[in-house]
Amino acid sequence: MDIQKRIEELEEALKKELENVKTMNDLQNVKSKFLGKKAEISGFMKHMKDLSNDEKPAFGKKVNEGKQRLSALIEEKREALRKAAIEEKLRQETIDVTLDAPDFTPGGVHILNRIVEEIEDIFVGMGYKIKEGPEIETDEMNFEKLNLPKDHPARDMQDSLYITEELLLRTHTSPVQVRTMLEYGGKKPVKIICPGKVYRRDDDDATHSHQFLQIEGLVVDKNTTMSDLKGTLNTIAKAMFGEEREIRLRPSYFPFTEPSVEVDVTCANCAGEGCNICKQTGYIEILGAGMVNDFVLKESGYDPKIYQGFAFGLGIERVAMLKYGIEDIRHFYTNDLRFNTQFK
Amino acid sequence: MKVSLSWLQEYVSLEGITPDELASTLTLRSQEIEAVYPLIEADKLLIGEVLSVKKNEKADKLSVCDVNTGKKTLQIVCGAPNVKKGQKVVVALPGAKLAGGLKIEKTTLRGVESNGMICSLTELGLDYKYHHEDGIHVLADTAPVGEDAIEYLAFNDTVVELDLTPNRSDLLSMHGVAYDVAAIYDRNLKLPTPEIITANQDNAFTIETQTDKCPSYYARILDNVTIAPSPRWLQARLIAAGIRPINNVVDITNYVMLETGQPLHAFDLDKLSANRVLVREAKQGETFITLDEDKRTLEEGDVLITDGEKPIALGGVMGGLDTEVGDATVSLLLESATFDPRQIRRTSSRLDLRSESSIRFERGVDPEKTPYALDRACAFLATYAKASIRNGVRYFDHHKTEKRIIPIALEKVNNVLGAQYTKEDIKSVFDRLNFSYEEKEGRFLVEAPSRRVDIETYQDLIEEIGRLKDFNELPDTLPSTVSIGSLSAYQRFKRDIRKTLSALGLSEAITYCLREKERINDLTRENESPVELSKPLSKAHHALVLSPLTGLFDVVAYNKARKQESVHVFEIGKRYRKNEEPERLGIAMHGPFHPRHWQKTPPTNFFTLKGVVEALQKGLRLPRLSYEKATLENYHPHQSAVVKAGDTTVGHIGKVHPEYAEGYDVEDVYLAELAIDKLFEMRQKAPTYRAVSKYPGISRDLALVVDEDLAAGELQKTVERTLEDKLKESRVFDVYTGKNIEEGKKSLAIRLVFEAREETLQSKEIDCEIDRVIKALKETHNARLR
């Protein structure tokens, strides 16, 4: 028998059978048939005894190589079957990648508080501390210590909501200035901002709200100047509204500051050219400011002969309205989620 | 203050300055300008004479008039019933413009040609309140036909409206505005000096006061007054200032008030009971009828001008009806006085009676203008009412004539402004302002003029310097104060709460703190009387909230009504009390996190919200929280709990009672409130590092049958107490009632996780611990293994 030829025939036969193998089970059967104990190739070794010692090694080698080739064919098939099975499994896991994901949208901080935080961060960066105070204030703190005695005409500028004769909802965050100065005991420099809710006797409409948010700023030291105020406000205006913005100061009046100014920023819409939003002036008013009135320093325990300072007050809603073009102040307090969730 | 520019020109030249330039300069250097506008919008109007009036045959309400307009006679159709032959009228020819931009064109009305329009004052653009005329405006017979009607009426004027701050009472007068404009533009100021000729007639009048709330009172008597309309220029200027012309006497007092800032009042002398003025304070409850025909009830302190017998004016606020000047008036008592600003403010605000007079008195008038204004008005009355002035002014004047001298050093000016002005700069400002000063020992001693009641301190002078030099010229610098900026730990904590809740998908709301009184306690844990406004803004804004939940619940209802399926919101608010305002976090949840998703997602319920609270607890190092079932008003009786940290109650959580929610058209609303101030105080210490255990943990599951009403938390407490620090975590992973579990019982499946730090846990050890736990649970809760 030409062993070599027979092995080649077996190889061909195996290849043919493997073509029809579909499952691992089939494969196992084929493997038994061709390589099992009863397989033809396993019987070849019996012929060894009939061979001469010289022929034995070559014969053994041929049989073993034949076995290995058959085995390789089977393993090759096994690998192909395994791959096909995995691919089939993955195919069954096919998804429509365009289907909607569940809604994991983060919520968000209210736009007014976002702006407060933004402003706080700018001032913290410039070395300010943040101070808060009560919203139910005494007439003394809200008015009298701020140079607004009872019957003062300027009290008309801030129509107030009283609780008792001596107690009211603060009309501005300025009493926090006084409280802080008193706390510091007239000794050390003050550099603070005070955010918080304030209240006025106003009917709510598109531009008025009986409740709104303010940020007050106060710096008191031995040589704090009006130019420092101007530089500070310029910094904040550019940080909030953009580098290209300019501010302008106009004389005004607040009993707690002297000199007092109102501060306008160039209109975003027309870049100062004049448009409907800025009523053709090119500017939009954003805050009131001034040098702290000596009366207030004195009332707060600071010696005006040694100390001087500046203060400013900014309405947060106004900033938000200008920044985002929001037309109605009531939107901030309606909390329609379709509004609140726009600001991310 | 509405400033007529033609009037202002009498005192200071405006040559080369357009009204718009003036407005922007005043805005930067003086006061904000509210508006700049022509007194009337109409132009190109002529004076015409109505030569004939015929009825239009087709429309009897229309008259067909022939009108002589100087160069030619035109046919004009007129709809006004008061048109008559011979009248001098205002004619708008084709090409003319009327109020509201109306252009006049040649037209045909009901088949009749009309070559223009005969105008009413309203059509010229004058508000009805200034003239009370319904038909066309009829001019005097002497009006020159063919001339410009607007010029004739003195309406060719521009008004600049100042938005005054309350300190600048001087700008409530034309003189004051002129001072400021002259200072800003460095121009000459020329103010008139009144010259009066008095008749040599006896004047037995006396003036007395019993109150110090009227520091000065000047009066003159005038006779032979002819009541008539004022001259056209005077009427036009009053209208420009926003005051309706009435008659020459009233108009002149108003004119001089506008000019000088000193309010005046004219009484009909014959209606006084005696030749006497006695100023006194009102008695409590005394009544008085003011010019506006209102009966006023007075209080002690209100100042009354009387004739010794009866009150004739509410001093500084309004005259009396009884002594009003009318067509029959012959003799006048003319008053020029000053009053205590605070008292005027008290009286006028209490009576809600703000007059041109009270506005000026409460801000302070120039006491030096008091006699000046009296004489100025008398001079006008002599000219325009043919009045003769009795000899002698009657007065008292208790004003202290002390000069207000304010010292200020150049160094101080520069130190406050951060500027580098020179002495010459400062002097120039004071000169332009007409402030007199002297230099002494390196300082300026500046005399504050009586017209500027607002100039009291060196800071006021710095403001004058700053504004006239222009604040915008100052350099931009930053404070030299070196300091460390920071948020406090509590402020950072609040930011962390916001950040954490936002990341979990909740949106922050800001709601009103003033709410309906009766709803304040609806959703609070503990009832308390709210702080109320003494005069509520409205029923809806009456009392201060005790919890942010009041607003948040409404936010849910509002959004639900607008078809928002999921409303997950929070707010850091306050429990407002008179003496403290502790901060409270409110959370409201309604609807699923992933609404209408094609994969099944868990519903939002009590445990969703509890999970959010726990997330805060874990994320912000809050103390461990426990939940005790509780009954809270307006909450679900079986789905509510108080939240505790140790023994301290720190909040509550629960489902809003379905009946309460239904009242607001919502359902399934879950609310939680946490006392974040307390939680902040109880916060766990900053973490310290602990090496991760090298040994794997072991977990065991126990299925226990217990009484149905036993809280799982109680069971877990017992487990924890028994195992102490051997236990890493216990978690209920299944709750079951029904088949195979007897009535009144439930099955709880708990997973216990053990962690060994020193060595690998042996199964035997764990078995031993589990036996202890089972024993303890049996003893404490009568629990048995399922």
Side-chain angles (χ1 to χ4, degrees):
Chain A
M1 189 181 71
D2 182 345
I3 191 78
Q4 183 67 33
K5 195 171 171 232
R6 185 60 199 150
I7 287 172
E8 278 165 19
E9 280 166 10
L10 280 175
E11 268 183 73
E12 284 311 306
L14 175 59
K15 278 182 189 166
K16 221 171 207 164
E17 285 210 25
L18 283 177
E19 274 172 29
N20 296 321
V21 165
K22 298 273 180 283
T23 66
M24 285 291 180
N25 219 12
D26 292 349
L27 186 69
Q28 203 52 43
N29 291 338
V30 171
K31 187 181 177 185
S32 299
K33 186 174 165 193
F34 283 84
L35 288 168
K37 278 180 187 160
K38 290 175 184 166
E40 188 181 342
I41 203 162
S42 308
F44 287 171
M45 281 307 193
K46 289 181 213 152
H47 299 295
M48 284 277 268
K49 63 181 189 302
D50 303 332
L51 297 176
S52 68
N53 277 352
D54 289 349
E55 287 167 322
K56 271 178 188 168
F59 181 86
K61 194 180 170 207
K62 273 178 191 161
V63 172
N64 275 334
E65 279 173 2
K67 267 188 175 174
Q68 276 167 20
R69 281 201 300 278
L70 294 182
S71 190
L73 283 171
I74 284 165
E75 286 316 307
E76 190 185 317
K77 183 69 183 180
R78 186 189 306 280
E79 183 57 20
L81 279 180
R82 200 184 59 83
K83 272 199 174 145
I86 287 173
E87 264 154 36
E88 171 58 18
K89 185 165 180 281
L90 294 180
R91 199 189 55 75
Q92 282 170 4
E93 287 171 6
T94 303
I95 57 161
D96 175 358
V97 295
T98 66
L99 268 177
D100 288 329
D103 185 10
F104 286 118
T105 318
V109 173
H110 192 283
I111 178 61
L112 295 178
N113 281 335
R114 289 175 85 92
I115 288 177
V116 168
E117 289 186 2
E118 202 178 319
I119 295 174
E120 283 175 350
D121 291 345
I122 297 168
F123 278 100
V124 165
M126 294 196 287
Y128 288 65
K129 288 210 160 41
I130 295 162
K131 286 282 179 178
E132 293 167 279
E135 292 164 41
I136 299 175
E137 254 308 353
T138 58
D139 189 88
E140 187 192 8
M141 288 289 178
N142 191 76
F143 286 131
E144 283 167 44
K145 282 196 178 295
L146 290 162
N147 198 24
L148 274 147
K150 293 200 166 76
D151 299 323
H152 193 288
R155 283 203 180 189
D156 284 351
M157 293 163 87
Q158 305 184 355
D159 221 345
S160 341
L161 295 164
Y162 275 89
I163 291 154
T164 66
E165 258 186 31
E166 292 305 321
L167 227 46
L168 74 158
L169 289 174
R170 66 178 176 193
T171 57
H172 45 198
T173 38
S174 311
V176 187
Q177 291 183 9
V178 179
R179 287 180 177 275
T180 306
M181 284 192 276
L182 288 171
E183 176 198 323
Y184 284 12
K187 293 279 185 284
K188 53 178 179 177
V190 185
K191 207 169 157 191
I192 55 164
I193 59 164
C194 326
K197 290 175 183 151
V198 300
Y199 305 83
R200 305 264 169 99
R201 183 174 287 281
D202 264 328
D203 289 326
D204 296 338
D205 62 26
T207 54
H208 295 86
S209 182
H210 71 276
Q211 172 184 325
F212 57 101
L213 282 162
Q214 221 179 35
I215 284 191
E216 188 90 4
L218 175 73
V219 177
V220 174
D221 203 346
K222 285 168 187 158
N223 43 20
T224 312
T225 70
M226 186 107 182
S227 298
D228 293 343
L229 169 66
K230 184 165 170 260
T232 302
L233 296 179
N234 222 336
T235 304
I236 188 84
K238 286 182 192 299
M240 289 302 296
F241 297 108
E243 271 304 315
E244 67 287 358
R245 296 309 176 75
E246 296 296 333
I247 59 164
R248 114 184 149 170
L249 273 50
R250 286 183 284 109
S252 188
Y253 170 71
F254 307 106
F256 27 93
T257 49
E258 186 77 48
S260 300
V261 286
E262 265 171 309
V263 181
D264 302 334
V265 63
T266 42
C267 177
N269 192 47
C270 63
E273 295 290 313
C275 68
N276 284 338
I277 290 175
C278 59
K279 295 181 197 151
Q280 307 304 330
T281 61
Y283 286 92
I284 289 179
E285 186 186 321
I286 52 162
L287 56 85
M291 297 301 290
V292 181
N293 194 307
D294 280 359
F295 177 92
V296 178
L297 287 175
K298 252 181 266 170
E299 286 293 306
S300 309
Y302 276 75
D303 183 352
K305 288 201 181 71
I306 302 168
Y307 285 99
Q308 60 189 40
F310 69 70
F312 60 87
L314 173 78
I316 301 303
E317 283 80 355
R318 192 159 174 78
V319 172
M321 289 170 92
L322 290 177
K323 218 175 149 158
Y324 294 96
I326 296 163
E327 78 294 355
D328 193 325
I329 197 170
R330 287 170 294 196
H331 292 331
F332 297 118
Y333 294 94
T334 305
N335 297 294
D336 188 319
L337 288 183
R338 293 165 298 177
F339 174 86
N340 290 38
T341 55
Q342 283 180 39
F343 309 98
K344 299 280 183 203
Chain B
M1 179 79 179
K2 294 173 177 166
V3 175
S4 144
L5 293 190
S6 75
W7 191 350
L8 186 62
Q9 296 253 35
E10 276 189 15
Y11 313 129
V12 58
S13 164
L14 298 178
E15 208 187 318
I17 307 168
T18 68
D20 285 336
E21 275 168 27
L22 179 68
S24 51
T25 306
L26 287 178
T27 293
L28 283 179
R29 308 281 177 94
S30 179
Q31 295 278 298
E32 192 175 354
I33 300 304
E34 183 94 16
V36 181
Y37 52 90
L39 176 55
I40 58 165
E41 290 174 67
D43 72 353
K44 292 181 190 150
L45 306 180
L46 295 178
I47 298 170
E49 181 176 7
V50 182
L51 300 178
S52 69
V53 177
K54 285 181 296 190
K55 286 284 160 221
N56 183 337
E57 288 157 13
K58 288 178 186 159
D60 60 359
K61 281 192 177 159
L62 295 180
S63 311
V64 183
C65 314
D66 282 330
V67 183
N68 173 15
T69 60
K71 282 177 188 150
K72 46 190 169 179
T73 297
L74 299 169
Q75 174 175 291
I76 294 175
V77 178
C78 179
N82 67 329
V83 65
K84 289 202 178 61
K85 183 187 166 184
Q87 281 171 341
K88 298 280 178 65
V89 292
V90 180
V91 181
L93 296 182
K97 199 182 78 187
L98 293 184
L102 178 70
K103 283 243 168 78
I104 299 301
E105 283 163 23
K106 192 167 161 178
T107 56
T108 308
L109 289 166
R110 298 287 183 123
V112 182
E113 193 181 277
S114 183
N115 295 296
M117 182 166 159
I118 303 176
C119 304
S120 70
L121 289 178
T122 308
E123 283 156 346
L124 297 189
L126 277 197
D127 198 288
Y128 182 78
K129 71 180 179 197
Y130 293 125
H131 52 78
H132 292 196
E133 284 181 9
D134 289 317
I136 54 163
H137 183 59
V138 181
L139 302 170
D141 292 343
T142 50
V145 172
E147 300 285 307
D148 188 316
I150 296 173
E151 249 180 74
Y152 174 78
L153 288 166
F155 288 161
N156 50 339
D157 201 353
T158 304
V159 180
V160 171
E161 190 174 346
L162 275 64
D163 186 9
L164 288 188
T165 54
N167 59 325
R168 293 296 303 272
S169 60
D170 60 308
L171 297 179
L172 281 165
S173 72
M174 293 300 295
H175 283 182
V177 175
Y179 269 108
D180 234 33
V181 171
I184 290 164
Y185 285 97
D186 197 10
R187 293 193 176 187
N188 290 330
L189 185 71
K190 40 183 197 300
L191 298 180
T193 314
E195 281 170 21
I196 56 170
I197 300 156
T198 53
N200 205 1
Q201 195 183 350
D202 236 15
N203 188 350
F205 213 86
T206 62
I207 310 271
E208 300 155 66
T209 185
Q210 293 175 343
T211 169
D212 55 7
K213 288 176 180 168
C214 173
S216 70
Y217 198 109
Y218 288 78
R220 281 188 185 274
I221 308 291
L222 299 100
D223 300 300
N224 306 323
V225 175
T226 310
I227 303 289
S230 308
R232 290 184 300 279
W233 62 267
L234 200 154
Q235 292 195 31
R237 285 181 178 180
L238 289 184
I239 291 169
I243 293 178
R244 177 163 78 99
I246 294 174
N247 61 42
N248 49 5
V249 172
V250 175
D251 292 356
I252 285 166
T253 57
N254 281 332
Y255 184 85
V256 174
M257 170 187 72
L258 291 169
E259 185 183 39
T260 63
Q262 166 67 56
L264 300 171
H265 187 69
F267 301 91
D268 186 331
L269 184 67
D270 296 327
K271 292 175 184 163
L272 266 61
S273 321
N275 269 335
R276 180 180 182 211
V277 160
L278 173 67
V279 187
R280 65 167 169 85
E281 288 178 33
K283 297 182 201 85
Q284 189 68 28
E286 192 170 356
T287 60
F288 176 64
I289 300 172
T290 42
L291 269 175
D292 54 6
E293 303 183 21
D294 238 335
K295 187 172 183 177
R296 308 286 177 173
T297 305
L298 307 181
E299 283 183 13
E300 250 170 67
D302 294 338
V303 179
L304 276 177
I305 313 299
T306 74
D307 58 12
E309 291 179 19
K310 60 173 191 296
I312 55 174
L314 184 55
V317 181
M318 195 173 267
L321 188 63
D322 286 349
T323 52
E324 188 182 10
V325 170
D327 289 345
T329 299
V330 178
S331 297
L332 300 176
L333 162 67
L334 191 62
E335 163 200 295
S336 182
T338 57
F339 300 94
D340 174 33
R342 277 155 202 255
Q343 182 58 49
I344 298 301
R345 183 176 157 76
R346 269 196 289 274
T347 303
S348 70
S349 62
R350 193 190 71 241
L351 296 174
D352 198 15
L353 182 58
R354 287 276 156 91
S355 61
E356 293 283 347
S357 163
S358 72
I359 286 167
R360 285 171 174 78
F361 282 124
E362 72 181 39
R363 296 180 183 199
V365 303
D366 176 1
E368 285 180 13
K369 278 276 155 65
T370 313
Y372 173 97
L374 182 67
D375 285 358
R376 178 83 171 140
C378 284
F380 277 126
L381 286 167
T383 310
Y384 298 107
K386 302 188 180 73
S388 61
I389 307 159
R390 264 189 228 176
N391 203 7
V393 57
R394 293 289 173 262
Y395 72 98
F396 61 80
D397 192 338
H398 304 144
H399 275 291
K400 291 182 200 128
T401 48
E402 268 171 39
K403 285 181 179 173
R404 280 177 297 156
I405 305 290
I406 304 164
I408 186 166
L410 173 67
E411 197 193 355
K412 187 75 180 171
V413 173
N414 283 331
N415 190 28
V416 169
L417 292 176
Q420 291 183 324
Y421 294 133
T422 62
K423 270 192 174 177
E424 295 314 309
D425 290 328
I426 308 298
K427 282 187 200 170
S428 138
V429 167
F430 292 149
D431 287 339
R432 283 152 63 184
L433 285 165
N434 273 292
F435 287 4
S436 38
Y437 60 90
E438 54 176 318
E439 285 182 74
K440 211 173 183 180
E441 291 158 9
R443 296 187 305 174
F444 292 100
L445 301 178
V446 184
E447 182 184 345
S450 63
R451 66 174 183 279
R452 290 294 302 272
V453 291
D454 60 314
I455 305 287
E456 291 176 321
T457 67
Y458 77 93
Q459 287 187 303
D460 297 315
L461 292 176
I462 290 176
E463 175 164 75
E464 295 300 298
I465 296 161
R467 75 181 175 98
L468 283 191
K469 299 298 286 181
D470 193 345
F471 290 118
N472 296 292
E473 300 296 318
L474 293 176
D476 281 322
T477 55
L478 290 176
S480 53
T481 310
V482 175
S483 53
I484 295 166
S486 62
L487 295 172
S488 71
Y490 182 61
Q491 285 160 350
R492 272 203 306 274
F493 175 66
K494 285 194 284 182
R495 281 200 185 187
D496 287 344
I497 290 175
R498 290 198 178 100
K499 230 180 280 169
T500 305
L501 291 175
S502 296
L504 289 171
L506 282 77
S507 297
E508 191 185 25
I510 301 180
T511 63
Y512 290 136
C513 304
L514 282 166
R515 293 299 305 266
E516 304 91 326
K517 188 184 159 194
E518 42 304 328
R519 285 191 60 199
I520 298 289
N521 278 302
D522 279 5
L523 298 165
T524 55
R525 184 173 66 252
E526 289 158 314
N527 277 14
E528 182 176 310
S529 296
V531 177
E532 289 174 47
L533 296 181
S534 61
K535 272 189 258 165
L537 202 51
S538 68
K539 204 175 163 309
H541 307 300
H542 184 157
L544 282 154
V545 294
L546 291 165
S547 165
L549 294 180
T550 311
L552 289 175
F553 176 76
D554 285 4
V555 170
V556 172
Y558 181 93
N559 283 286
K560 168 92 192 323
R562 279 150 190 86
K563 308 273 182 245
Q564 301 283 300
E565 284 177 89
S566 301
V567 189
H568 304 148
V569 285
F570 70 95
E571 179 175 15
I572 295 176
K574 287 179 171 177
R575 189 170 180 92
Y576 288 94
R577 293 180 173 133
K578 278 184 186 166
N579 50 356
E580 55 164 7
E581 297 169 12
E583 287 190 291
R584 296 286 180 263
L585 169 67
I587 307 175
M589 299 188 82
H590 162 82
F593 260 107
H594 315 296
R596 285 187 205 293
H597 197 250
W598 53 274
Q599 302 184 98
K600 261 219 165 123
T601 54
T604 287
N605 58 26
F606 179 91
F607 298 101
T608 321
L609 181 52
K610 187 174 172 183
V612 168
V613 171
E614 297 280 280
L616 281 179
Q617 188 260 324
K618 288 174 199 146
L620 304 182
R621 306 200 322 267
L622 302 187
R624 238 182 109 177
L625 301 175
S626 61
Y627 302 80
E628 273 175 25
K629 194 178 167 192
T631 312
L632 303 168
E633 208 182 333
N634 294 322
Y635 285 86
H636 193 300
H638 305 294
Q639 293 192 16
S640 302
V642 294
V643 183
K644 287 191 161 179
D647 292 331
T648 313
T649 300
V650 292
H652 70 273
I653 176 170
K655 180 177 186 175
V656 176
H657 198 292
E659 277 193 337
Y660 182 84
E662 203 188 326
Y664 296 91
D665 260 342
V666 279
E667 53 187 7
D668 297 330
V669 182
Y670 298 88
L671 301 178
E673 186 196 280
L674 292 174
I676 52 170
D677 55 338
K678 286 186 200 166
L679 288 172
F680 175 74
E681 295 300 326
M682 298 165 79
R683 222 159 39 132
Q684 290 160 6
K685 285 197 197 94
T688 48
Y689 168 70
R690 215 164 74 128
V692 174
S693 172
K694 280 180 272 185
Y695 309 103
I698 288 186
S699 63
R700 290 290 169 87
D701 295 347
L702 293 180
L704 298 158
V705 176
V706 294
D707 287 344
E708 199 169 12
D709 57 4
L710 176 69
E714 293 300 315
L715 205 74
Q716 283 169 294
K717 261 189 211 164
T718 305
V719 171
E720 282 163 23
R721 221 176 13 245
T722 310
L723 295 173
E724 292 173 329
D725 56 356
K726 291 185 193 86
L727 184 74
K728 190 182 172 209
E729 158 178 54
S730 81
R731 225 167 163 71
V732 175
F733 64 92
D734 190 39
V735 182
Y736 176 77
T737 53
K739 208 176 157 197
N740 296 333
I741 300 292
E742 68 229 66
E743 190 89 347
K745 296 278 184 184
K746 67 180 168 189
S747 160
L748 288 176
I750 301 186
R751 169 159 297 184
L752 307 179
V753 181
F754 296 86
E755 186 187 46
R757 305 205 62 81
E758 304 296 328
E759 54 192 317
T760 311
L761 280 170
Q762 300 301 312
S763 198
K764 261 190 183 165
E765 278 176 64
I766 302 295
D767 290 344
C768 190
E769 294 297 335
I770 292 290
D771 286 344
R772 285 207 307 128
V773 168
I774 293 169
K775 198 175 159 216
L777 292 175
K778 185 172 169 53
E779 277 168 12
T780 322
H781 304 293
N782 195 24
R784 64 174 168 77
L785 282 180
R786 192 177 160 196

